[in-house]
Amino acid sequence: VDHEHYSKERSASLDLLLRFQRLLVSKLHPGDCIGHVPNTYSPDLLGVGSLLKKYTALLCTHIGDILPVATSIASTSHRHFAEVSRVVDGDLTGILLPELVVSIVLLLSKNAGLMQEAGAIPLLAGLLEHLDRFNHLAPGKERDDNEDLAWPGIMGSFFTGQSCRNNEEVTLIRKADLENHNKDGGFWTVIDGKVYDIKDFQTQSLTGSSIL
């Protein structure tokens, strides 16, 4: 019962912080106002900008304290990473930070001068190293980094849920390998996530290579 009460209380406090965050963003968003003189801001607007900076500083301080501990625990095993990720996703890091980043990018596109004046962006930049260390622990990270991009010939089965009879019998071909092979005179093509060698068919076809 105490755990459930704590969870509800925590959710209510996070909801309150999220509402406050959205209020700050809405006050700074220019909307459809016209006649604004560039680089001149009212004291009220500068005050909201200063408040956003203080709020961002407190949020970043909390996340900066949490993430190193989370990274340390998550590095134990994939199971620990999954559990820690679930906790972090329900914490300030997973609830407030993503929306704050998107909101600041939006405000920056609308009024770069004001956001530079507010000074919240450098505070967020300080979290990049912590986030990068945590994300590098994600299962599959090495596979993703080794591939140039999510080429259908490699990753298609992961997204469609189709499983091969025996993964050891399947040769995975990167997009770069396919391009290099074709540059050397080969003729591989991809159809529905599978790579086909149509070099022999090319010599018999009357349609030409461009159509193939």
Side-chain angles (χ1 to χ4, degrees):
V1 177
D2 292 338
H3 175 72
E4 292 180 358
H5 175 73
Y6 172 74
S7 298
K8 291 180 180 178
E9 184 178 341
R10 184 172 178 225
S11 298
S13 62
L14 279 175
D15 183 64
L16 185 61
L17 283 172
L18 185 58
R19 289 171 181 267
F20 176 70
Q21 178 176 295
R22 289 173 176 174
L23 179 63
L24 289 177
V25 173
S26 67
K27 293 294 184 181
L28 290 171
H29 193 275
D32 299 324
C33 62
I34 58 175
H36 174 71
V37 180
N39 300 324
T40 59
Y41 310 107
S42 67
D44 290 342
L45 202 58
L46 292 174
V48 176
S50 177
L51 191 57
L52 176 66
K53 181 180 180 179
K54 293 178 181 178
Y55 169 82
T56 304
L58 291 173
L59 182 63
C60 290
T61 298
H62 171 80
I63 296 175
D65 292 338
I66 291 294
L67 279 180
V69 178
T71 301
S72 177
I73 298 174
S75 63
T76 307
S77 67
H78 289 340
R79 180 180 177 184
H80 283 80
F81 178 84
E83 288 297 322
V84 170
S85 297
R86 183 181 60 81
V87 174
V88 169
D89 190 50
D91 188 51
L92 305 182
T93 309
I95 295 177
L96 300 179
L97 182 61
E99 185 170 316
L100 180 63
V101 171
V102 172
S103 298
I104 288 182
V105 170
L106 173 65
L107 293 173
L108 188 62
S109 67
K110 293 289 186 179
N111 199 331
L114 177 60
M115 293 311 298
Q116 292 293 341
E117 192 81 23
I121 298 175
L123 299 173
L124 290 171
L127 292 177
L128 291 178
E129 185 175 349
H130 294 302
L131 290 168
D132 193 51
R133 286 177 180 173
F134 182 79
N135 289 332
H136 268 66
L137 299 175
K141 173 259 171 187
E142 293 182 359
R143 180 193 67 204
D144 293 340
D145 283 356
N146 288 335
E147 303 300 341
D148 295 334
L149 45 82
W151 184 240
I154 305 169
M155 305 298 292
S157 60
F158 289 93
F159 296 121
T160 59
Q162 298 173 354
S163 58
C164 299
R165 294 178 181 177
N166 188 342
N167 288 334
E168 296 179 355
E169 298 176 358
V170 179
T171 300
L172 301 182
I173 300 175
R174 299 187 309 164
K175 184 186 179 188
D177 296 332
L178 183 144
E179 292 176 344
N180 290 332
H181 177 80
N182 288 348
K183 286 179 181 178
D184 293 337
F187 208 142
W188 287 353
T189 188
V190 178
I191 303 174
D192 293 334
K194 295 181 176 60
V195 178
Y196 295 89
D197 187 349
I198 58 173
K199 179 67 176 179
D200 293 339
F201 182 74
Q202 179 190 15
T203 58
Q204 304 172 14
S205 174
L206 300 177
T207 60
S209 299
S210 60
I211 296 180
L212 287 179

